[in-house]
Each structure stands twice: as structure tokens, then as C-alpha cells.
Amino acid sequence: MTPDVRPLVAGNWKMNGLKASLAEIAAMRKAVDAGEAGAAELAVIPPFTLIALAAEKLAGGSVTWGGQDCSPQAGGAYTGDTSAAMLKDLGATYAIVGHSERRTIHHETDSEVRAKAEAAIKAGLKAIVCVGETRAERETGLEYAVVTRQVRESLPPDGGPDTVVVAYEPVWAIGTGLTPTPADVAKMHDSIRRLLGEIYGANGAKVRILYGGSVKPSNAKELLGIDHVDGALVGGASLKAADFLAIAAAYR
Ligand code: 13P
């Protein structure tokens, strides 16, 4: 945790969820609005098809929401893409950019990720910029070099605590049940914090740095209690309200 920084627990639903899943979102809202979810901000990042419907369920409450990606373009002939302004129009607060699944499957580069983050901010969203090394990179001792490059080249230089969230997600920990040791998480988040200071000066101290990768109710308290871990980006365990709320309960 970082003093005076409100943690964020964000649920990235990835390509999961049909209309029936809106009941989970309604249950999350109920718990949060009843004051039962603890001190963290909770955000749901459903697939694009559910955002407008989720927004209806969440309007007027305290759970925030967002998109899993956005186009670097403001609008026009970009079939299949979604602009940041379209997300903002639905009341979104966040756009995830540079998730490792997009970096890997869609070959997104740091400069594209930065352009997306800049587009998100320009539209009035906060960009959740994902970074993280692969298993091969960690095994060859390249994790700091890779994450340093990603942070320096993917983050918008004009951002700050109100517009940027960093999510450290080691690729080898995503969906595998594996997590780095608390000492490894602490060391990487400390390194990211120092880089944020280089990029944003004193404001870098207040930018939230989330940990992501196999966060679940049983390990949330330990992972979220680490210095400079200001919340979690949760995949699989965010699909069910009970699990997601049990993770957020680390901040009770
Ligand atoms: P899991 O929590 O399923 O490992 O996914 C993490 C992730 O990629 C969130 O963006």
C-alpha cells in the first residue's frame, strides 16, 4: 500500500461473460453500495458487448467500470475498434491498454500502447497501462530490463495520478495459479515506483501500481499488503462477485 493512495481492485473479465453474468455485477454493486466491500475502489472491466448493460446496472453507485482496450484513433474507418470517447460516453472511468494478451496476440508495441493511453486520457478516461515480463525473460534475468522499457515507453509522459494506473502483470503468472514471491513483487513495484518518479516527478509517488496474475481470495491479503502494491488487476477470480469481493476484503 502507498500512504494517501486509495487502492483499486479492478476485474478484467477478458472474453468472458454473457448477459446472465450481469447478475454478478449487480451483486458487486449491492455489496459496495452497502459499505460491505472495504476501502478500495472496485472497478469492473467487462467485454465490450456488456459495457452498456453493465453501465445501466452500475449507474449512480460506487463501482466504476471501463473497457479492456481502446483505439489510439479518435474515430473513423477502423472496423472492429472502439474509441475512448465511446467508452467515456457510456460513463466509463477506465481503459486497460497494453494487456499482455494484446501485446502477444495482437503484437501491440510500446508506442501503440502509449498512443492508446494518450487517446484514453484525451477522452477523459484513466488508462490502466499493463506491463510485465514473460517466463523466458524472467528465467534469463531480463525482467527488470523489460519492465523498465515498457514503463518508459508505454506510459504517456503528460500523465499523473489522476490519469494513469500501472498494472504489473508477470505474463507467467496470468491464469496459471503461479505468483511471484512477495519479495519479488515488492522489488518490482519498488522499481516501478522509482521509474514513475523519473517520469512524473513528485506526482509519481501517487500513481497507483496494481499487481495482477493469479490473484485470488487466498493470496490477496498477502499480495495486497506489500509496499507499493496499490491494488490488483484480477482476471478469473473477478467473474464471480463472491470471489471478487473476497479479494477486495483484503482492504477491510
Ligand atoms: P488471472 O487473475 O486470471 O491470472 O488474470 C490476470 C490478468 O491478466 C488480469 O488482467
Side-chain angles (χ1 to χ4, degrees):
M1 292 179 75
T2 305
D4 302 327
V5 169
R6 187 176 183 211
L8 169 65
V9 177
N12 173 12
W13 280 24
K14 308 191 180 184
M15 199 170 73
N16 296 294
L18 300 173
K19 282 188 287 180
S21 320
L22 294 167
E24 299 297 328
I25 289 177
M28 291 171 195
R29 174 189 179 151
K30 196 162 167 236
V32 169
D33 289 354
E36 293 163 7
E41 175 187 347
L42 255 69
V44 189
I45 320 282
F48 282 108
T49 49
L50 291 183
I51 296 176
L53 297 167
E56 282 173 13
K57 294 262 179 239
L58 296 173
S62 299
V63 175
T64 51
W65 62 93
Q68 297 173 15
D69 182 38
C70 70
S71 172
Q73 309 295 338
Y78 299 98
T79 302
D81 288 348
T82 304
S83 75
M86 291 169 178
L87 291 169
K88 182 70 183 172
D89 190 41
L90 295 178
T93 301
Y94 295 102
I96 296 176
V97 294
H99 191 280
S100 66
E101 286 146 20
R102 296 210 60 90
R103 289 178 186 265
T104 307
I105 302 166
H106 299 279
H107 310 291
E108 290 187 7
T109 63
D110 290 324
S111 63
E112 282 166 328
V113 173
R114 181 192 284 192
K116 289 181 172 199
E118 284 170 345
I121 294 168
K122 199 165 170 203
L125 301 174
K126 299 175 204 273
I128 302 177
V129 184
C130 301
V131 298
E133 81 284 358
T134 62
R135 180 191 301 274
E137 287 160 350
R138 179 160 283 258
E139 283 173 357
T140 48
L142 289 175
E143 66 271 34
Y144 290 97
V146 168
V147 171
T148 297
R149 189 207 74 225
Q150 290 174 331
V151 169
R152 287 206 175 118
E153 296 183 15
S154 309
L155 291 191
D158 308 335
D162 296 332
T163 53
V164 171
V165 176
V166 177
Y168 169 57
E169 300 203 298
V171 179
W172 53 272
I174 294 176
T176 58
L178 303 172
T179 54
T181 64
D184 283 342
V185 173
K187 210 169 144 202
M188 185 60 84
H189 278 240
D190 186 61
S191 164
I192 294 170
R193 178 68 70 208
R194 276 185 280 112
L195 291 166
L196 290 171
E198 283 174 21
I199 301 168
Y200 299 129
N203 280 337
K206 302 266 183 242
V207 172
R208 290 177 290 188
I209 311 174
L210 313 184
Y211 168 77
S214 296
V215 178
K216 45 193 179 208
S218 59
N219 62 18
K221 213 171 172 73
E222 181 172 46
L223 289 166
L224 299 183
I226 297 169
D227 271 1
H228 300 300
V229 175
D230 308 312
L233 186 54
V234 185
S238 71
L239 295 169
K240 292 275 173 239
D243 292 338
F244 194 46
L245 291 165
I247 290 169
Y251 290 110
R252 263 212 204 115

